[in-house]
């Protein structure tokens, strides 16, 4: 008996291990930036979440006597979840998110490939709900690189952060307090390019999301006589959503127009949330809602195609 291991981004005859490797390798620039900015605690947080996700998937698969799938996939999922955490997150808080993502979101529905929503996004949202105070556990990049105390006790975090005090170069490279892997736009873009080149994702999905969101934000700027679009795209973490959350290899069921529709829905949800919230909600909530809708969209597509064929036969 095996899980429903899927690889919907595969353009050629590749397997689950290949596509998982592509996604994991695309994270290397982002993880490197996280380690440079947050030092040993950033590295340990990533390694801990990746190892915990893998161990959880392995144990659950053995209990259920099914195949876990490629070991690279849970490593990727754990790393993605860690990169969305504040740098001073305690390990027990991170473990809570990992277990929710692995056990509740992935294993209970049926294992690898059967998740209804994106596991890392759902796990990070769970941390946001259960440990709201942890959202303030931000730190200045480059400070206390060898400190590990926060992995046990957490931190009080920083006071209000004024992004207007940072230069464009600092904003683009992520040198301001944020989650450990969602702020460095340069590294995220490199990851996206690698995914597209290695056929780990079809370019029109992330491109449609960013384009639609940019158009909506520009309309908002024109209406309010402001110029906040570029700042939002760079600092909100939406590029991380486009690269690693919106079109994951578990909940995405089809390509083409359905992918574009999903991207537009995700962009619209992000835009609407931008009026009321900031932080991790803008990154994970649109991804969770959109991934939950992909099954419905794909079913609708199949029904429409089936009706079309019946009319042709008649």
């Amino acid at each position: 008996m095996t899980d429903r291991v899927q690889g919907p981004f595969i353009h050629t005859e590749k397997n689950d291990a290949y596509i998982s490797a592509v996604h994991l390798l695309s994270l290397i620039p982002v993880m490197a930036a996280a380690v440079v900015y947050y030092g040993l605690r950033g590295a340990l947080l990533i390694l801990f979440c990746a190892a915990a996700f893998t161990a959880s998937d392995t144990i659950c698969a053995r209990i259920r006597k099914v195949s876990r799938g490629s070991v690279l996939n849970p490593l990727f999922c754990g790393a993605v979840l860690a990169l969305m955490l504040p740098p001073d997150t305690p390990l027990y808080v991170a473990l809570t998110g990992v277990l929710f993502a692995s056990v509740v979101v992935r294993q209970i529905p049926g294992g690898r490939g059967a998740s209804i929503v994106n596991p890392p996004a759902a796990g990070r949202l769970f941390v946001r709900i259960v440990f709201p105070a942890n959202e303030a556990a931000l730190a200045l990049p480059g400070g206390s690189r060898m400190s590990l105390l926060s992995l046990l006790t957490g931190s009080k975090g920083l006071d209000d952060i004024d992004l207007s005090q940072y230069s464009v170069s600092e904003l683009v490279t992520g040198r301001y307090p944020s989650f450990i892997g969602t702020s460095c736009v340069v590294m995220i873009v490199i990851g996206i390019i690698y995914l597209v080149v290695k056929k780990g994702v079809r370019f029109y999905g992330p491109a449609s999301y960013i384009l639609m969101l940019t158009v909506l934000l520009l309309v908002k700027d024109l209406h309010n006589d402001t110029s906040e679009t570029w700042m939002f795209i760079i600092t909100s973490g939406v590029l991380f959503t486009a690269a690693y959350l919106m079109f994951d290899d578990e909940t995405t069921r089809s390509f083409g127009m359905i992918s574009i529709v999903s991207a537009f829905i995700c962009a619209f949800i992000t835009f609407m949330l931008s009026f009321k919230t900031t932080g991790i909600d803008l990154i994970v909530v649109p991804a969770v809602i959109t991934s939950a809708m992909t099954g419905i969209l794909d079913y609708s597509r199949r029904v429409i195609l089936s009706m079309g064929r019946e009319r042709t036969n008649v």
Side-chain angles (χ1 to χ4, degrees), residues 9-311:
F9 300 116
I10 301 172
H11 292 211
T12 56
E13 294 299 321
K14 305 295 183 180
N15 58 19
D16 179 54
Y18 170 83
I19 205 65
S20 297
V22 168
H23 280 78
L24 187 59
L25 288 172
S26 73
L27 277 181
I28 289 178
V30 184
M31 292 189 292
V35 174
V36 168
Y37 287 147
Y38 300 108
L40 190 57
R41 70 189 189 280
L44 289 179
L45 194 58
I46 294 171
L47 291 173
F48 175 79
C49 289
F53 208 115
T54 303
S56 176
D57 265 22
T58 301
I59 293 171
C60 289
R62 289 183 178 178
I63 292 174
R64 296 171 52 238
K65 297 181 180 180
V66 299
S67 171
R68 176 200 56 206
S70 170
V71 68
L72 299 177
N73 180 266
L75 287 174
F76 168 77
C77 289
V80 168
L81 199 158
L83 290 168
M84 294 187 287
L85 292 170
D88 287 337
T89 298
L91 293 181
Y92 73 89
V93 173
L95 181 61
T96 301
V98 167
L99 292 178
F100 182 82
S102 174
V103 178
V104 177
V105 179
R106 170 175 284 182
Q107 297 300 330
I108 290 180
R112 171 87 168 99
S115 303
I116 299 175
V117 298
N118 180 284
R124 181 62 180 90
L125 184 59
F126 185 75
V127 170
R128 160 75 173 84
I129 295 172
V130 177
F131 301 101
N134 187 67
E135 299 305 308
L138 301 176
L140 292 172
S144 305
R145 285 193 174 95
M146 301 304 294
S147 175
L148 296 177
L149 184 61
S150 64
L151 296 180
L152 300 176
T153 63
S155 72
K156 295 181 180 179
L158 302 173
D159 295 330
D160 292 338
I161 302 168
D162 183 7
L163 294 181
S164 64
Q165 297 179 355
Y166 294 87
S167 66
V168 174
S169 62
E170 288 175 322
L171 294 176
V172 171
T173 55
R175 285 180 291 172
Y176 60 91
S178 182
F179 308 120
I180 66 174
T182 65
S183 61
C184 187
V185 173
V186 173
M187 294 304 183
I188 294 174
V189 170
I190 292 174
I192 293 176
I193 292 173
Y194 180 83
L195 283 172
V196 171
V197 170
K198 291 297 183 179
K199 301 179 180 179
V201 67
R202 303 203 178 194
F203 76 94
Y204 52 75
S208 298
Y209 170 71
I210 295 300
L211 178 61
M212 179 63 173
L213 181 58
T214 301
V215 170
L216 291 172
L217 291 171
L218 287 174
V219 171
K220 176 184 175 183
D221 276 347
L222 288 174
H223 181 268
N224 296 333
D225 194 22
T226 56
S227 56
E228 300 175 350
T229 296
W230 72 272
M231 176 71 81
F232 183 90
I233 296 295
I234 291 175
T235 63
S236 64
V238 294
L239 287 174
F240 190 88
T241 299
Y244 300 112
L245 301 180
M246 189 175 58
F247 293 103
D248 65 294
D249 63 347
E250 292 192 63
T251 61
T252 301
R253 302 295 184 230
S254 61
F255 300 116
M257 185 54 65
I258 295 298
S259 293
I260 295 175
V261 171
S262 297
F264 284 178
I265 292 174
C266 193
F268 182 75
I269 295 172
T270 304
F271 174 71
M272 295 305 295
L273 285 175
S274 69
F275 288 93
K276 295 185 177 181
T277 187
T278 57
I280 197 62
D281 291 342
L282 288 174
I283 301 175
V284 298
V285 172
V288 168
I289 295 175
T290 305
S291 60
M293 295 177 62
T294 55
I296 298 174
L297 292 173
D298 186 55
Y299 176 76
S300 301
R301 179 185 66 87
R302 294 175 186 275
V303 170
I304 294 173
L305 291 176
S306 178
M307 292 174 62
R309 285 193 294 266
E310 288 179 359
R311 291 177 180 175

